[in-house]
Amino acid sequence: MSIKDILSPFSGWKKVFDEPVVVKDPVNDRPGAPRYRGFHRNDIATCIGCGTCETICENEAIDLVPVQGIETRDGDSGLRPRVDYGRCCWCALCVDVCTTGSLTLSNAYIWVDEDPGVYRFTPGVDDMPWQREEKGWKKPEGNYEFYSLKREPMEHLRPEERNDSFAEMVRGFSKEQAMREADRCVECGICVATCPAHMGIPEYIRAVRDDDMERGLKILYDTNPLPEICGRICTHKCETVCSIGHRGEPVSIRWLKRYIADQNPSEKYKQILETGVLDKNGKKVAIIGSGPAGLSAAHYLSLMGYECTIYEKLPKTGGMMRFGIPEYRLPYDQIDKDIDYILSLGVHIIYNTTVGKDITLDQLKRDYDAVFAATGLHQGRSTRIEGTDHRHVYQATDLLRKVTLGEEIHVGRRIVVIGGGNVAMDITRTLARLQRLKYGEVRIITTSLETEDAMPADSEEVVGSREEGATVIPGWAPRKIDIAEDEIKGLHVVQCLSLFDEKGAFNPQCNFDNHRFFEGDMIVESIGQGMDLVYLTEGIKEHLEMTPRGRIRVDDYFQSSIPWLFFGGDIIQGPDVIHGIANGHKAARGIDRFLSGTADKQQTT
Amino acid sequence: MEQLLDRIIAGFEAADIEKRKDGQVFFTVPKPKVLPLINHLKMFEGFRNLILMTAVDWIEDNQFQITYLLNNPDTKTDLGIRTFIGRDGEGMDSIHELWGHAATFQREMKEMFGIGFPGSPRVDEPFLLEGWDDIPPMRREFDTKKYSEETYFPRPGRETHDPATYMKQKLYPND
Ligand code: SF4
Ligand code: SF4
C-alpha cells in the first residue's frame, strides 16, 4: 500500500467548502432531467388512434383501446394507446414516430405502488399528475424524421406546354419516386374508412414498396375495377385524413394507385387477375348506363357468373368519365384500358340505345332477371335568371359532351362561366384551350356563389384554371344576362354573403348594393346536374318508394322497393366516380343476394 | 488543439475529423493505431480521464464501431476516438491496464455486442443480463419483438384493436 492510498480518504476534505453536488433529500427530491424519458402523456384531442406508436414498439408495450367519449369517425379510429409499464423500456420510439405529435413523455419516473395492475394506463385518459407537467421528452423539431413530411413532387406539364393542347398534364411517378412516396406510408389504415370503396390502401402501397405490381393490381381490383381512371381523377378523400398529413403532407395515395395501374400492361390483366375463364350461372342482368356505377356492377356481376348487358344511350362507354371530364385530365386511352378489360369479361354493350325510348324498362324486366339503373346526372341545371334562353347560353355538360364527341361548338370571344365546382373548372379550362387555338388569347371569367375557401372544386383545378389564363372570381351571385340587339353583352352579379340559412337549407343571401358587371358574349352555366328518369313508367313509379327529399329509396344493397330493380351511382349518392364504383360493387352483391335467394325479399312486382 | 490534431493525424493516421460543440473533436483511426494513440494521449497530452467506451453495430457494413471518449481536465477538451473492427468474432485490445474502469465498459460491450476483449478482468461474467440465453441483444440481428413475444407471458386482460378493422366494425360493418 502506497502513501497515496493512505492519504486519499482525506483529500476529499479540501472540497468541504465547495458548492455541494449531491441532492439534499435523495428520497423525496429527485426530479428527472428536463428531457428525461419518464411516464407517457397523450393529448387525446389531437391523437387520432392511428396505432403507429403501437406498431413501432418493439416490446409490445402499447395496446389500442376504445375510450369512452371518443367517437370513431372519419380520420379518427376512436382508439387511444394504453401503455403497459411491465414492458415499456422508455426508448421513446413511440413519441418520435407519433404521426400527430400528441404523444410525449413526462420527466416523472418515480411511482411506487403495491398493485402491479396500476402500471398499465391510458395516458391522457386516466388522470395522472404528470399529464400536466411541462418537462420531459418531446420529439425534437426538425432534427430527424422517421418518414418524410414532404411529398414526392409530381411533375406537371408547364402552363405554356399545356395551354393549347389536350395532352395529359400529370406525368406520373417514376419507379424511384413511387418507392420513395410509398415509403412515407405508416400503414395505419385510417384512410380506408374514408374511401367510399374502402380500398385496401395500405396494402397496395405496400405492394409498391415491395415492387410487386401484380399483387398491387389484384388489391386494386378487389374493390375498384377502374384504377387507371381513379388513379387520375378520384376526389381522393382518403388523402384528407391521412395520418401523415397531421404533421406534414399526406401520402399521395391517388398517384400511387395510378402508378400501379400504369405499370401493368392490359394484355396481362386476365392472367394476373385470374379471369381467363369465368363460370356462368345462367342468370342475366341488364344495366342502364355505362358510367362508373354501371361498369363496376358489370365487373363484379361477371365475376360471379352473371351475364350482363349494358344499355348506353351514347355511342361510347364511360358516361361522365368520358363525356364530362376533359382529356387533359383523363386521357381516352386510359379510360379505354379500364373499360375494355371489363368488357372483355363477356359484358355485352348496346350503344345508342335509350331506355324509355328505344326499349322500355318493362321489356328489360321480361328479358332479364334483374335491372340495375345507373343513369347518372346529365341534365344541366339552369340559374333561370333573365336571359338564359338566349342561344349563346350553354350548359357545361352539353359542351363537354360535344367536345368529346368531336363536334364543333361555339366558342365566344369573351366567355363568362357560372359555377364553382370541378365541372365549372373543366369547362373553363376546355374553353380556354379552344379560345387560345381560335383567337390566340384567353378571355374567360369564371364566377361562383361560393367564396374562394368554400368552392367545391379541387383547389388544384382552380389554380390550374388561373395558370391557363382564366380569371376566377368567387363570391358573386348571377342576377341577369345583359342582352342588346340580340347579342349577349355580359352578366350582372351581386355580392353573395351566405349560401345557407340557419336551418341549413340552400338560401343565398346577397348584398344588392355591391354590384358588378362581367363583360361577355357567351355564358356557360355549370351549377349542377339533375337526373332524367323518363324511363320510369307510370306502373313502376306507382310501386317505387321515394324519400321525403324526392330521391328513390334504396336499401343498403341499392335495391329499390321493386325487388328486381336496383339503382345506384350519381342518382343515389355522389356525384363522383368513386361513390359510383362503390355503389356498383355493393349493388352487384345485392343483385346476387336477390337472385341466389340469399336475401329475405322475394320477387313480387 | 490544432497542433494536437496535426500530431494525431501525422502520427496515428487520424481521419474524418469532426469538430463538435464545446471543444469536442471526434475522429477515426485504424485499429492497430488505437492503443499507441491512447497511450500517447494519456502519457504526453494530458488526457488523463476515460469518460466512456461504447460500440455501434453497423450491420450493413459488417463492422462494429468502438468509440473512446477521453478528457483533458486541464484544457477542458474531449477527444472521441472511433475505430472499426470486423463483426464476426474479431476482438479488440483491452485498455484496462490504463484505466481500471475500462474493464467495466468492456464487460458491458462483451455482453451487449459479443465483442471480445482478451485479458480484461471478469469480461465473460454477466453484467446486466443474468441468465441470458440468446445472442447479445444489442447486435442488430437480435429480434427484440420476437424475443419479447417468446419470453414474456402476456399480461391477462390485455387486448388491442387494429384501427382499420375497428373502424370498419364501427362505421361500415356491412360493406
Ligand atoms: S402514433 Fe400518436 S396519433 Fe397515432 S395512436 Fe399513437 S399517440 Fe395517437
Ligand atoms: S396512406 Fe396515410 S392514412 Fe393511409 S395507411 Fe398510409 S399513412 Fe395511414
Side-chain angles (χ1 to χ4, degrees):
Chain A
M1 195 179 268
S2 72
I3 185 80
K4 190 173 163 225
D5 288 341
I6 295 168
L7 289 177
S8 63
F10 302 102
S11 61
W13 284 103
K14 69 181 182 221
K15 302 218 190 264
V16 81
F17 296 111
D18 288 0
E19 176 115 3
V21 290
V22 287
V23 177
K24 271 215 191 87
D25 180 356
V27 176
N28 297 309
D29 187 18
R30 288 187 290 184
R35 296 203 303 159
Y36 194 78
R37 304 195 298 252
F39 294 110
H40 293 71
R41 295 174 295 218
N42 194 7
D43 173 3
I44 52 158
T46 303
C47 170
I48 54 168
C50 69
T52 313
C53 49
E54 177 187 19
T55 311
I56 202 169
C57 180
E58 286 279 290
N59 300 318
E60 304 220 316
I62 297 183
D63 293 324
L64 260 89
V65 295
V67 164
Q68 189 132 49
I70 296 184
E71 291 284 319
T72 302
R73 56 182 168 81
D74 272 351
D76 184 348
S77 72
L79 302 164
R80 292 296 178 263
R82 179 200 273 174
V83 187
D84 181 347
Y85 289 92
R87 281 171 171 257
C88 173
C89 70
W90 284 274
C91 65
L93 281 176
C94 51
V95 170
D96 289 1
V97 84
C98 173
T99 56
T100 62
S102 67
L103 197 64
T104 53
L105 297 180
S106 69
N107 72 342
Y109 68 105
I110 302 172
W111 182 18
V112 183
D113 201 296
E114 300 267 300
D115 173 12
V118 301
Y119 294 101
R120 182 177 60 195
F121 66 91
T122 312
V125 175
D126 298 327
D127 190 33
M128 296 296 173
W130 46 80
Q131 177 71 21
R132 290 170 294 277
E133 267 293 330
E134 256 308 301
K135 289 183 183 145
W137 177 259
K138 302 181 183 76
K139 187 191 158 301
E141 276 307 321
N143 206 333
Y144 51 85
E145 294 294 347
F146 287 179
Y147 37 78
S148 163
L149 296 179
K150 286 243 162 277
R151 291 180 155 201
E152 262 314 295
M154 171 57 79
E155 274 184 54
H156 288 65
L157 293 186
R158 290 192 306 279
E160 58 277 16
E161 288 175 296
R162 64 184 197 231
N163 272 339
D164 47 7
S165 115
F166 282 82
E168 184 166 23
M169 291 183 337
V170 178
R171 289 188 197 268
F173 280 143
S174 69
K175 177 166 162 185
E176 292 68 33
Q177 288 175 313
M179 298 264 227
R180 277 200 297 271
E181 186 63 22
D183 220 22
R184 303 179 60 225
C185 170
V186 293
E187 295 186 8
C188 62
I190 284 279
C191 48
V192 177
T194 302
C195 169
H198 308 306
M199 297 191 71
I201 297 167
E203 290 80 16
Y204 72 67
I205 294 183
R206 168 169 286 241
V208 174
R209 193 149 59 205
D210 296 345
D211 195 22
D212 188 342
M213 291 299 108
E214 300 196 355
R215 188 175 88 223
L217 194 74
K218 278 196 214 153
I219 298 168
L220 297 185
Y221 271 83
D222 280 344
T223 45
N224 185 338
L226 299 169
E228 289 283 14
I229 295 171
C230 281
R232 287 174 166 76
I233 51 89
C234 184
T235 42
H236 56 88
K237 294 272 173 285
C238 53
E239 295 180 15
T240 61
V241 296
C242 173
S243 60
I244 303 300
H246 286 261
R247 294 180 52 242
E249 296 171 341
V251 175
S252 296
I253 303 173
R254 179 176 57 172
W255 298 145
L256 289 171
K257 176 164 54 205
R258 165 175 167 177
Y259 172 76
I260 297 173
D262 279 353
Q263 303 319 303
N264 286 291
S266 36
E267 315 81 73
K268 287 186 70 186
Y269 270 38
K270 282 203 168 167
Q271 178 211 323
I272 298 169
L273 301 170
E274 296 163 37
T275 51
V277 200
L278 297 174
D279 294 333
K280 293 269 175 240
N281 64 13
K283 297 201 173 116
K284 299 196 318 184
V285 179
I287 293 166
I288 315 177
S290 68
L295 288 166
S296 168
H299 172 263
Y300 292 107
L301 284 166
S302 299
L303 296 190
M304 289 186 264
Y306 293 92
E307 198 178 316
C308 299
T309 304
I310 301 179
Y311 289 84
E312 171 55 58
K313 74 173 178 198
L314 289 168
K316 281 190 162 143
T317 49
M320 273 298 179
M321 301 184 293
R322 189 188 302 272
F323 293 99
I325 299 171
E327 198 185 355
Y328 59 82
R329 276 220 285 153
L330 181 55
Y332 301 140
D333 55 342
Q334 300 303 333
I335 302 183
D336 291 337
K337 183 178 174 191
D338 279 348
I339 298 182
D340 287 350
Y341 166 70
I342 296 176
L343 298 183
S344 79
L345 301 175
V347 175
H348 309 290
I349 178 145
I350 303 175
Y351 293 107
N352 298 314
T353 304
T354 307
V355 176
K357 207 169 89 199
D358 305 310
I359 183 168
T360 63
L361 196 51
D362 291 329
Q363 184 68 42
L364 295 184
K365 189 208 160 189
R366 273 193 292 282
D367 295 347
Y368 297 90
D369 298 296
V371 176
F372 178 51
T375 46
L377 307 175
H378 292 274
Q379 278 194 330
R381 289 212 191 100
S382 171
T383 57
R384 297 214 203 97
I385 55 172
E386 195 184 322
T388 41
D389 47 4
H390 190 277
R391 66 185 187 290
H392 286 159
V393 176
Y394 298 90
Q395 285 296 329
T397 44
D398 292 342
L399 295 180
L400 287 167
R401 182 173 58 245
K402 285 193 173 140
V403 170
T404 303
L405 288 171
E407 291 173 21
E408 189 79 22
I409 64 164
H410 174 77
V411 180
R413 199 84 179 107
R414 308 184 79 155
I415 304 172
V416 181
V417 176
I418 306 171
N422 277 337
V423 177
M425 297 306 136
D426 287 341
I427 191 63
T428 299
R429 300 176 73 177
T430 299
L431 287 169
R433 282 167 172 74
L434 295 173
Q435 271 191 334
R436 201 178 287 278
L437 288 172
K438 194 163 172 187
Y439 306 113
E441 60 170 1
V442 179
R443 293 171 97 178
I444 299 183
I445 292 175
T446 300
T447 182
S448 66
L449 287 176
E450 300 89 359
T451 47
E452 182 99 28
D453 49 318
M455 279 168 82
D458 291 341
S459 68
E460 65 231 48
E461 291 300 315
V462 180
V463 171
S465 303
R466 289 189 172 132
E467 281 177 358
E468 288 161 19
T471 311
V472 183
I473 311 179
W476 297 87
R479 288 290 289 160
K480 180 181 164 214
I481 295 171
D482 205 21
I483 298 171
E485 290 156 16
D486 198 31
E487 291 302 331
I488 295 179
K489 296 294 165 205
L491 179 72
H492 292 281
V493 293
V494 289
Q495 189 190 13
C496 180
L497 299 173
S498 66
L499 290 181
F500 300 98
D501 59 20
E502 312 86 69
K503 293 197 197 91
F506 182 72
N507 185 10
Q509 297 300 313
C510 298
N511 173 7
F512 292 94
D513 297 332
N514 195 354
H515 167 268
R516 278 183 84 170
F517 180 66
F518 298 139
E519 262 183 68
D521 53 26
M522 166 176 175
I523 309 276
V524 181
E525 294 182 298
S526 178
I527 60 158
Q529 291 93 244
M531 53 186 110
D532 182 4
L533 298 175
V534 286
Y535 53 89
L536 298 179
T537 56
E538 285 308 317
I540 282 176
K541 276 194 200 152
E542 224 169 84
H543 291 96
L544 205 55
E545 273 178 39
M546 306 296 272
T547 67
R549 307 192 75 185
R551 289 204 164 197
I552 299 165
R553 187 188 293 286
V554 290
D555 69 5
D556 282 352
Y557 288 91
F558 298 90
Q559 189 171 25
S560 72
S561 50
I562 299 171
W564 55 269
L565 188 54
F566 291 70
F567 290 90
D570 288 354
I571 50 176
I572 299 296
Q573 209 179 25
D576 65 25
V577 172
I578 190 69
H579 273 103
I581 290 170
N583 289 185
H585 191 179
K586 196 79 189 279
R589 278 152 54 201
I591 291 169
D592 183 52
R593 271 163 48 114
F594 166 62
L595 292 181
S596 61
T598 46
D600 343 313
K601 286 190 194 171
Q602 287 307 307
Q603 190 163 1
T604 49
T605 314
Chain B
M1 175 57 100
E2 291 306 318
Q3 287 157 359
L4 169 66
L5 281 178
D6 287 343
R7 286 196 291 278
I8 296 173
I9 295 169
F12 303 94
E13 298 171 32
D16 299 331
I17 317 259
E18 218 186 290
K19 295 189 180 141
R20 300 196 186 162
K21 59 175 178 39
D22 305 334
Q24 275 193 348
V25 180
F26 278 73
F27 52 84
T28 307
V29 294
K31 183 183 170 195
K33 298 287 179 193
V34 172
L35 242 63
L37 169 66
I38 293 179
N39 253 311
H40 172 83
L41 290 171
K42 187 175 181 197
M43 298 301 170
F44 304 109
E45 307 279 6
F47 286 85
R48 297 199 299 276
N49 295 340
L50 170 71
I51 302 175
L52 60 82
M53 280 176 75
T54 187
V56 182
D57 183 356
W58 297 103
I59 192 167
E60 296 82 357
D61 306 330
N62 204 25
Q63 282 186 324
F64 285 125
Q65 172 189 328
I66 300 181
T67 304
Y68 303 82
L69 197 59
L70 269 47
N71 164 265
N72 180 336
D74 304 324
T75 58
K76 295 196 177 5
T77 41
D78 296 340
L79 287 183
I81 301 157
R82 294 181 295 232
T83 195
F84 291 92
I85 65 167
R87 250 181 126 256
D88 308 315
E90 183 184 339
M92 185 64 201
D93 301 321
S94 172
I95 57 164
H96 70 276
E97 300 280 3
L98 293 173
W99 289 283
H101 67 291
T104 310
F105 289 121
Q106 294 175 163
R107 193 168 138 206
E108 184 187 27
M109 284 192 272
K110 175 73 201 298
E111 182 172 77
M112 294 293 171
F113 293 91
I115 302 172
F117 292 90
S120 186
R122 301 172 61 196
V123 72
D124 293 319
E125 290 177 30
F127 179 65
L128 281 175
L129 310 171
E130 283 167 63
W132 186 255
D133 55 359
D134 214 307
I135 62 165
M138 295 290 276
R139 293 179 77 99
R140 284 186 32 223
E141 71 265 37
F142 179 72
D143 188 337
T144 316
K145 188 154 180 184
K146 182 160 160 276
Y147 183 87
S148 336
E149 275 160 6
E150 288 167 0
T151 312
Y152 305 111
F153 54 89
R155 200 203 283 242
R158 278 190 63 165
E159 45 140 27
T160 190
H161 305 265
D162 168 56
T165 319
Y166 183 76
M167 289 173 90
K168 175 168 164 47
Q169 284 162 8
K170 287 273 166 185
L171 299 176
Y172 55 103
N174 298 324
D175 274 11

